Each structure stands twice: as C-alpha cells, then as structure tokens.
Amino acid sequence: MPVLDTFLQQKLMLLESAKRRRVLHMNERADGVVVVRGGKRLISFACNDYLGLSSHPKLVGSATEALTKYGAGAGASRLITGNFPLYEELETLLAGVKACEAACVFGSGYLANIGIIPALVGAGDLIISDKLSHACMLDGARLSGASVMRFAHNNVEHLRMLLEANRKEYQNCLIMTETVFSMDGDLAPLKVLAALAKEFDAWLMTDDAHGLGIMKNNPADIQMGTLSKAVGSYGGYVCGSQTLIDYIKNSARSLIYSTALPPATIAASIAALRIIKEEPERVAKPLENARVFTSLLGLEPATSAIVPVIIKDNNKTLQAAALLEEKGFLVGAIRPPTVPENTARLRIAFSALHEQIHIEQLAEMIKQEGWA
Ligand SMILES: *Cc1c(COP(=O)(O)O)cnc(C)c1O
C-alpha cells in the first residue's frame, strides 16, 4: 500500500473504533419532507430546509428561467464579470428582510464566515466567541490571526470576566455567537451581548444560519447568515451598515477570489425571500411544530425549529437513529467533534411541511424507547 494510504487507513480505523467514522449516504430528496434512502421513503426530521422551500414551484420556476436567460455558471468572481443583475435584487431584498442598510452575498455561509472575520480583525485584535459557535466561525477566527478566546455557552458573566481581564490588551475586539444554536436549538442572549459589546467597545457578530423567522430585532453590528437552510437555496450573506458592506466587498478574500454563485441559485433565493415576506404563517410554522413535539414529550417548550434529544453515548445514538430509520423516520445522529464529548444526540429539525401525525408518531417512538 502506498505510504499515504497506510497512514490514512490507521486514522480511519481509529475513527471507526470510536464510532466517529462518517459515511456519506445516498439520499434522494423527494418533495417536502420525504427523503428516499436505499429505496425506502423516510419522513425527514434531519433537513435544514425549515420552510420547505427548496422544492417550492416558485423557486424551481425562477431558477429555471434564470438558467435559460443567463446560463449555468457565473463565469468569474463578482469583482470581475460575475456580478449579474440578480445579485442587486437579492441583496436589496435581504437587507429589507433583516432590517439592515445593506447586504453582501457570498458563495456559501462557510465562505461568508471565513471571509468576513479576517476582513475585520487580525493580529493584535481579540475575538471572543461562544464556545458552541459553528466550526466555520472558528475557522474564520483562526484565519484572521487575531487572538481567540471562548466563553462558556450563553454565559454572559463569563464573557464579562474575559472582557474585563483582556479587552484593554488588544486594539479591536469582536464578540461572536450564533443566534439560534445549530445543535441545541437554544437562543443567544443578544440584548445582553450587545450591551456588553457597547460597554467594552467591541463589535458583535451573529451567525443566523438557523434563526430566520425566530430571531427578530437583532442588535448585532455584523449579521451573517445562509441562503442554504430556511431559504431553501444556496449561498451565504452578511448584513449591516452600508459602510460595513462596502468594506467587506473590498476586503473579504473568499468573495474576491471565488467565482460568483450560479444565476439560477440567486434567482431561487430571490423567489424564496419574496415568499418569506408574503407568508408569515409559513415562517412561524417550524417553531409551532417543534412546540407540539416538546409538549407531547413534556419537555421545555422549544425555542426554535431544532430540538436535541441527548443520548450521550455515540454508539447508542447511532443505534437510536437506525431504529427510527427502520420505522420510517430520518433523524440526524450528531456525534463529537460536532458536539462536545459525551453529548451525542438525536437532532430533530422541524419543517413547516411536517404534518401533525408525523410529529405524534415520532414523539411516541421516542417516549416508548425512553430517550426523552
Ligand atoms: C450551516 C451553517 C453554516 C454554513 O452555511 P452554508 O451555507 O451551509 O455553508 C454556518 N453557520 C452555521 C451556524 C451553520 O449551521
């Protein structure tokens, strides 16, 4: 065996023995909440397509039209010739939905985070991040060259301690958090975080990948998010002041040195944002569905479309997900390093398209097995 493969085989075996090896399953997403895996139709509680928009006829129709009109690819970075007219329409809509002055669209949420953060801070600056912030925020922080500290999850006293002890040693300071935490479904205390940022002359940045329709009146200076989840399309963005956006467009390397999104993708995002503006009942539905579930199980009322059922052990979590799959339900089995050690969990994500009966059946199975 070539030396590289021998080395990698050992690494894979280690992952396997810790039940941490990941495999990619072939999925076919049918309409709405149905996923076909291995020929079997499953009701998915694993997708982030919270509003059921990815297969919506208006998105598909707009994308098809843009594909015919503009072609399959953008052909260059937005700074060269990739900035076709649909971008402006999308950014205006986004800024409106987020109640910010301006927006800038990136290739993905991941690309947005690794572009925005190094554009704003660098060596001699300080980043203080919630400990559970998404991996790509941490990657952006590392790329920036700033010093990185993490505060205990949603613990504003700990954040204050870190600010008191360290803020004055650094030039600029960026506080980072998710609005709705992707693996726990709980909410960041944004008002307190914004007040602390103000008190310590720091900037607040939020990642709203899972917060669309949940987190309103966001006070953060820098509001990042994705078009790939509730919006049902693909891409990332940042919203904020016109000055922030002008600066980001001049300095975020993942924007400047990467090709613009395909026109069809932008058209789909535009169609989705229009639906989001026009159909508040659809936007409210995932949280309502999550609350039906938590109430059936006697859990604390859900605060977002995400409800974790913590099993702790990696293997047991995999077995639980496999059992649910046998019964026709697809649920994410989330293990370290995505979540902290000994907190492996079923991550249950609710969609506007779930029916009451799906939610009741899932809750019943979880109750019977004694997982919650
Ligand atoms: C999914 C996710 C991202 C990445 O967004 P993509 O558009 O999928 O690249 C960033 N932050 C959080 C919190 C996420 O859950």
Side-chain angles (χ1 to χ4, degrees), residues 309-328:
V309 172
I310 299 193
I311 310 237
K312 294 188 183 164
D313 180 73
N314 293 349
N315 206 19
K316 281 189 188 146
T317 306
L318 286 172
Q319 285 167 354
L323 187 68
L324 289 173
E325 191 171 326
E326 240 168 65
K327 310 261 182 179

Side-chain angles (χ1 to χ4, degrees), residues 7-66:
F7 173 72
L8 298 179
Q9 282 294 356
Q10 280 168 356
K11 294 221 161 218
L12 285 170
M13 272 158 59
L14 280 175
L15 286 172
E16 183 72 50
S17 60
K19 292 288 169 195
R20 280 168 66 155
R21 180 165 179 170
R22 294 157 192 246
V23 287
L24 298 177
H25 294 282
M26 185 85 83
N27 301 302
E28 225 176 288
R29 290 192 60 219
D31 57 335
V33 290
V34 176
V35 167
V36 181
R37 192 181 268 194
K40 191 169 169 185
R41 286 169 69 83
L42 303 166
I43 302 296
S44 172
F45 286 90
C47 301
N48 296 319
D49 183 14
Y50 300 113
L51 304 178
L53 288 177
S54 71
S55 54
H56 193 289
K58 284 190 180 163
L59 273 77
V60 177
S62 299
T64 309
E65 207 178 292

Side-chain angles (χ1 to χ4, degrees), residues 108-110 113 134 136 178 182 207 209-210 224 226 228-229 234-235:
S108 71
Y110 193 107
N113 272 333
H134 194 266
C136 64
E178 293 183 31
S182 58
D207 179 331
H210 302 273
M224 172 273 167
T226 178
S228 324
K229 291 172 182 163
Y234 194 69

